[in-house]
Amino acid sequence: MTGSLIVVGTGPGKPELMTPATRTALDNATDLVGYGPYLDRVAGGPVGQRRHASDNRVELDRAR
């Protein structure tokens, strides 16, 4: 397996207040994994970027 995992925070402020490092990581990600309402805060990414939304009751499964 190759690749990397980057963990970022997307809030709680306005989207334009995200750090440049967070914005870059989100823009370059092939997949976004997280709590659905938090993923909704992230504007569209590159073509083909996949989103894997969950609710906040499946944290262990999501982490696996």
Side-chain angles (χ1 to χ4, degrees), residues 32-56:
L32 300 179
V33 179
Y35 181 45
Y38 295 169
L39 289 180
D40 292 344
R41 294 175 42 83
V42 178
V47 173
Q49 185 181 65
R50 293 175 300 256
R51 292 172 181 238
H52 309 274
S54 67
D55 62 31
N56 62 357

Side-chain angles (χ1 to χ4, degrees), residues 1-63:
M1 182 181 294
T2 62
S4 61
L5 170 68
I6 299 173
V7 178
V8 300
T10 58
K14 296 177 183 178
E16 60 268 18
L17 298 177
M18 281 186 210
T19 67
T22 293
R23 185 77 257 162
T24 297
L26 293 170
D27 289 345
N28 292 319
T30 58
D31 292 78
L32 300 179
V33 179
Y35 181 45
Y38 295 169
L39 289 180
D40 292 344
R41 294 175 42 83
V42 178
V47 173
Q49 185 181 65
R50 293 175 300 256
R51 292 172 181 238
H52 309 274
S54 67
D55 62 31
N56 62 357
R57 295 173 290 174
V58 293
E59 295 300 319
L60 291 176
D61 291 338
R62 185 171 55 135

